[in-house]
Amino acid sequence: MSANYEVRGDVAVITLNNPPVNGLGYDTRKAFAAGIERARDDAAIRAIVITGAGKAFSGGADIREFGSPKAVAEPNLLSEAASSCRWGRITASPRQAPTSPCPK
């Protein structure tokens, strides 16, 4: 139940790894946020790729945490994404999702 971080050239790759569907439980969100911070602190990183281990990117919230304090605990992915837009080194992609927190 985590996210793995690796660097491939100037690209940070964060892989959600919480079987069976890479649910976004607290530990996974925490590891994801740590990966984003690690990439942000590395001046050599020019892009971040977020992917999922196995057959799925992510099935969404981790149902094992529904109704618990972990379900709403920070970090959450929306606040992490919004924070990343403000680095100055990361900009919105022309192919971004319509609900992206980054301004175009």
Side-chain angles (χ1 to χ4, degrees), residues 4 36 55 61 70 93 102:
N4 304 323
I36 293 290
K55 296 181 180 182
K70 286 183 174 183
S93 164
C102 298

Side-chain angles (χ1 to χ4, degrees), residues 36-71:
I36 293 290
E37 186 172 335
R38 188 170 168 187
R40 180 176 25 214
D41 291 343
D42 186 340
I45 297 299
R46 300 190 41 87
I48 299 171
V49 172
I50 304 164
T51 187
K55 296 181 180 182
F57 171 68
S58 175
D62 190 332
I63 62 172
R64 295 172 288 201
E65 294 182 359
F66 282 10
S68 78
K70 286 183 174 183

Side-chain angles (χ1 to χ4, degrees), residues 15-101:
T15 304
L16 304 175
N17 190 6
N18 186 6
V21 296
N22 299 319
L24 299 174
Y26 177 74
D27 291 335
T28 303
R29 296 190 318 268
K30 195 170 167 185
F32 171 82
I36 293 290
E37 186 172 335
R38 188 170 168 187
R40 180 176 25 214
D41 291 343
D42 186 340
I45 297 299
R46 300 190 41 87
I48 299 171
V49 172
I50 304 164
T51 187
K55 296 181 180 182
F57 171 68
S58 175
D62 190 332
I63 62 172
R64 295 172 288 201
E65 294 182 359
F66 282 10
S68 78
K70 286 183 174 183
V72 295
E74 290 286 340
N76 70 55
L77 297 188
L78 185 57
S79 63
E80 286 300 313
S83 170
S84 296
C85 294
R86 293 188 288 268
W87 298 1
R89 291 192 303 133
I90 293 195
T91 59
S93 164
R95 295 178 55 189
Q96 71 189 18
T99 57
S100 172

